[in-house]
Amino acid sequence: MYKSFSMELIGRKLTVDVGRVAAQANGAVLIHYGDTVILSTATASGKPREGIDFFPLSVEYEEKLYAVGKIPGGFIKREGKPSENAILASRCIDRPMRPLFPKDYRNDVTINNLVLCVDQDCSPELTAMLGSSIATCISDIPFNGPIAATMVGLVDGQLVFNPTSAQREKSELSLTVASTREKVIMIEAGANEVPEDMMIEAIYAAHDINKKVIEFIDTIVAECGKPKHDYVHWVVPDELYEDMVNFITPEAMEAAVFTDDKMVREANINEITEKLTARYELDHPDWLPWLPEAINKFEKATVRKMILKDHKRPDGRRMDEIRKLAAEIDILPRTHGSGMFTRGQTQVLNICTLGALAEIQRLDGIDENETGKRYMHHYNFPSYSVGETKPSRGPGRREIGHGALAERALVPVLPSEEEFPYAIRTVSEVLESNGSTSQGSVCASTLSLMAAGVPIKAMVAGISVGLVTGETDDDYVLLTDIQGVEDFFGDMDFKVAGTHKGITAIQMDIKINGLTREIIEKAIYRTREARIYILDEVMAPVISKPRPEVSPFAPKIVQIKIDPSKIGDVVGQRGKTINAIIEQTGVKIDIADDGAVSVCGFDKDNIQKAVDMINMIVTDFEEGKTYTGKVVGIKDFGAFLEFAPGKEGMVHISKVAKHRVNHVEDVLTLGDVVKVVCLGPDKMGRVSFSLKDVKDPK
C-alpha cells in the first residue's frame, strides 16, 4: 500500500506517491505536477568505493519521447545518448544537492529521474528537481536536505512563477532558484538584459515559494522517511596531519601557494609531496594512502586562512582586483570571425562561422518550444590547457554545460533572422585555464561575433566572483575574478554575464549549504562593476561595434519574401525547379512556410541571378512589359522561351521578326538569349510574347 501527498503549487496540483513503485531503491517517488509525471529514485551502494578522494554522485535525467507521444527518429527507433537538454537538467539537479551530502561520504549514489509523461505547462526539469530531493530525503542515504526549486519568468514586466509553455515562449527571463529551508543554494538564469535589482527581486520571490514547498516535503519525510544509515567516515588521521603540519610548517605552505603562476604553485606542492613521501614510506607506510588528502586539507586550510583572516589572495591581488586582461581579434585570417580573450592564465580563442539557415540545428526533444537552434555555442576544454596529457574523448557534461552558459549569455543580443538571415556557430577553444573559462568564453565570443560582422545589439562580458566563509554568516570575503586555486578551495563560483544594460546569464555553484541575501546581492553588484570595466576598458578599444559587412570568406545571403501560395512554383515537381536554379547558380536556397526565401552563396552575381529567377517564377507576366528569355525549343509554329526554370512562354512565328519568316530557325537557334514583350493572353488564354515588337532589343 502506498501513500499519496498533495499540495497546490502555483495554481497546479503537485502530488507525490511514496511506496507505489521502485521499492528496491533506497528512496523512490512517483511525482506528478499537473500531467507531468516523473519517477525519481535515489540509490546508494552498501560500501564506499575504494581508492577515491571524492563523493561519487551521479545524477541522471532520462528523456523518453513516449512522454510526449513521439517515436524516435532514425533507423534504431530508440533513445540514444542523453540530449544536451537532459545533460543540463542533470547538472541543474546535481549542483544544489551535492553540497548537502556529507563531505566524507564515499559510497556511490545515483539519483535517477525517468520522464514518463510531459505536460508542456508543467516543466519536467522542475518536477525532477523536486522528485530528486524528496526521494533522497525519504531514503536512508545521509543527506542534509530537503531542497526545493522554483522557475521564474518575466512577462510584460511582471514576474511569473513556474511559467506555462506560452509564458516561457515570450518571457524575458528564464530563472531557476533552488533553496534549503533558510538559504538560496543554486541559481541558473538566462535573461534579456534584466537589471540587477529585478533579478534579485525574482530570486527571493522564488525563495519564498521554495520555503513553502519544503514545508510540504517535511510532512512527507516525517511520515515516510527512513532512518539514515551509518557509513565509513573518510577522515585524515590526526597523527598524520599533526606531524605533517609540524614538519612542513604553515609558513612554508603559505610560501608554496603564494604565487600568481599556477605551474609554480603546482611544482611547489609536488616538492612538498615528495618530502612527505620520503618521510613516511619507511616509518609510516600506512599513512601514504592518506597523504594526498592530507596535503589537500593543509593547502586548503592555508589558502582559506590567507584570504579570510589575512585578506591576502594567493597571487597577491586585492579582493576586488581583476587579473591582467587582453583582447584580440582576427587571429585567424580566413575564418569568418575570431577573437581571443586572456585573463591572467586563462585564455580562450573563439571562432565564429556563418552558414545558411538550412544549417540550423534541428532538435527532437520533449519541449515543444525547442525545435531548432539557430545559434550554436560549443566549448572545448583540452587537457593541454591545464598541462595534462589525457586524450580527447569528446565533450563531457562540464564542457556541454559551459557551452550552454555562454550560449545563453549571448542569445539575447543576437539579431533576428529577418535582420541577419544566417545560422551562427561559435566555438570556444580553451588554450589555457586557471579559473573562469566559461566567462572568458563569453568575452571571446562577443569579440568573434563582432569581428564576423554579426550585428549584435550590445557587447556582452562575463566575470566570476568567489567566496570564502568563516564560522558565522557575517564572516566572509568575496573575491572578484577567482583563479583555479580560489575556486577549488573556496565556497562559491558565481558567474554573471551581461551588457551595460543588464544581466543575460547567471550560474551559481556553491559548496556550502546556502548563501545569505547579503552575499548574493553583493556578489551580483560586484560582477556588474567588473563587467563594465571589461566592456569599456578591454574589449571596446579592440572592437566597439560589429563590422558593417561579413568576412569576404563568409557566404553572402539575400532574403526575399514571396507569396506562400507560390512556394510550390519555386520548388517545382519533385524539386525540379529549385534544383535547376541551384545547379545554374551554385547557391543554397531555403524557403520557410511563411514565404521567406534565403539565397546563400559566395558570388554576388550568382546570388542576384538566383533571386531574379525566383522573382520571375513568382511574378505574373504583365502585358506590355519586356522580358529576357532563353530559346529552349523550336517548332514549326514558333519558339519556346525559358525565362526562369519552370517558367516558359511562346513566341508565335508571326511575331519572331518584322519581316515574313518561313522557318523559325532562320532567325532563332536553341540557346539564344533574346528580349521579348508580353502581349497578354491569346484567344485560348495562353500568355504570348513578341520578338518583333520590342522597342529596344539591345
Side-chain angles (χ1 to χ4, degrees), residues 297-314:
K297 181 180 176 182
F298 189 14
E299 187 181 359
K300 179 177 181 178
T302 302
V303 169
R304 292 178 66 86
K305 178 257 180 187
M306 286 169 59
I307 294 170
L308 191 62
K309 303 303 179 187
D310 304 336
H311 283 234
K312 185 169 70 171
R313 298 177 73 168

Side-chain angles (χ1 to χ4, degrees), residues 626-643:
T626 301
Y627 298 92
T628 300
K630 180 181 179 182
V631 179
V632 293
I634 295 177
K635 301 292 183 182
D636 292 342
F637 52 81
F640 289 93
L641 272 61
E642 183 184 69
F643 300 98

Side-chain angles (χ1 to χ4, degrees), residues 456-495:
I456 59 174
K457 299 168 188 174
M459 295 171 64
V460 183
I463 195 73
S464 183
V465 166
L467 172 75
V468 175
T469 56
E471 296 299 320
T472 66
D473 286 345
D474 296 328
D475 187 15
Y476 66 89
V477 173
L478 289 173
L479 308 168
T480 300
D481 178 27
I482 54 172
Q483 58 177 314
V485 66
E486 294 167 335
D487 184 8
F488 191 66
F489 294 131
D491 298 320
M492 176 180 79
D493 183 4
F494 200 132
K495 311 178 188 80

Side-chain angles (χ1 to χ4, degrees), residues 239-249 271-288 291:
E239 300 87 350
L240 163 60
Y241 192 76
E242 228 175 275
D243 184 82
M244 175 186 64
V245 171
N246 291 333
F247 177 65
I248 299 299
T249 75
E271 186 178 334
I272 288 173
T273 302
E274 289 171 5
K275 286 181 181 178
L276 290 168
T277 301
R279 177 176 176 83
Y280 299 139
E281 60 187 355
L282 292 178
D283 296 337
H284 291 284
D286 55 314
W287 284 357
L288 291 178
L291 192 55

Side-chain angles (χ1 to χ4, degrees), residues 144 311 413 508 674:
N144 189 27
H311 283 234
V413 302
M508 185 186 85
V674 296

Side-chain angles (χ1 to χ4, degrees), residues 568-583:
D569 296 338
V570 177
V571 175
Q573 191 174 15
R574 296 196 182 102
K576 182 178 178 181
T577 302
I578 197 169
N579 287 333
I581 299 172
I582 292 169
E583 185 177 340

